Amino acid sequence: MSTPTYLKEEENKNLRLLQRNFDDITEYELQLEILEKGKILHIPKGKTIMTYGHFIRTIPLVLNGVIKVSRENKDGQELLLHYLKAGSTCSITLICCRIDKKSILKSVAETDVTLIAVPIEAMELWTSKYPSWKNFTMLSYDKYMSQMIDILDAVAFQKVDARLTHYLNEKSSISNSTQIKVSHSQIATDLNTSRETISRILKQMEKEGKLKLGRNRIELNV
DNA sequence: ACATTAATTGTGT
DNA sequence: ACACAATTAATGT
């Protein structure tokens, strides 16, 4: 049975995407194996990928789009941790699935997302077989740890207004626009604070001329 | 075009 | 943090 041409083209496209976004994964063999064992998933904006308590059986390699990762506790309390952009993976899942642990995180597609879902069984071999895979996972851990330190820093030492400013800048860079589409209560959830606090700080910032407010919309001034 | 309703935002305590 | 007022967007008639 021969593979239809359009499928091969699709595969080539994905291979190039993989090479372009994950330049730490160098072995051509490994790249092919990732595409062979992994499954390409297209996830629409707004869809929840993981929530608290889910078992994890695959790890995501993000090819396109942005995934929002937040901590979620039993009571449904949330705190935005970081964003996964193209070329990254969730390193906590690298550990989690190894020890067969339930997810302690929640992830939602911030934009439309394309990713390769790699089953854990495949990864096990790669660590010993391909130096660059080992390197890639180590770099991911390192990146993750740094981000966690940053979060700790922000929550422990920064005031809410500083965190809000940072939040807005990040949002703006993700959407590549100074127009941010989000409600005050969503921001409050992300930063784990109250909606009123966010409303008041935003109002103050508007008075200072830093931004312009609208319903479900914030326009950043440059 | 207008009225109704739901959701978001503003504010005082 | 809570209660409520005001405003805005969405929807139906």
Side-chain angles (χ1 to χ4, degrees), chain A residues 17-140:
Chain A
L17 264 176
L18 183 70
Q19 289 167 336
R20 177 143 35 89
N21 287 309
F22 294 85
D23 48 10
D24 290 318
I25 297 175
T26 49
E27 291 99 339
Y28 183 61
E29 290 264 308
L30 174 56
Q31 292 167 358
L32 291 181
E33 221 178 309
I34 288 174
L35 290 171
E36 186 205 328
K37 301 269 169 62
K39 201 164 148 190
I40 303 280
L41 296 180
H42 296 279
I43 297 158
K45 176 179 175 177
K47 173 152 185 176
T48 300
I49 303 164
M50 279 270 127
T51 51
Y52 181 83
H54 279 158
F55 278 106
I56 305 149
R57 302 183 334 279
T58 62
I59 62 146
L61 301 176
V62 184
L63 292 184
N64 215 327
V66 180
I67 299 175
K68 184 171 102 178
V69 181
S70 46
R71 158 77 226 227
E72 193 185 41
N73 72 9
K74 288 160 209 154
D75 307 328
Q77 289 252 306
E78 277 185 46
L79 175 66
L80 172 64
L81 295 181
H82 64 294
Y83 292 100
L84 292 180
K85 299 169 190 175
S88 58
T89 185
C90 179
S91 33
I92 193 78
T93 59
L94 288 171
I95 307 174
C96 268
C97 57
R98 241 205 142 84
I99 57 176
D100 205 25
K101 199 181 165 200
K102 284 178 184 176
S103 174
I104 52 169
L105 302 179
K106 174 185 177 183
S107 54
V108 178
E110 176 86 8
T111 65
D112 287 347
V113 169
T114 307
L115 59 81
I116 307 180
V118 184
I120 34 169
E121 307 85 60
M123 298 173 28
E124 296 287 319
L125 298 161
W126 296 347
T127 307
S128 48
K129 199 166 161 194
Y130 301 105
S132 85
W133 177 259
K134 193 169 175 182
N135 188 41
F136 170 70
T137 55
M138 287 301 154
L139 288 170
S140 296

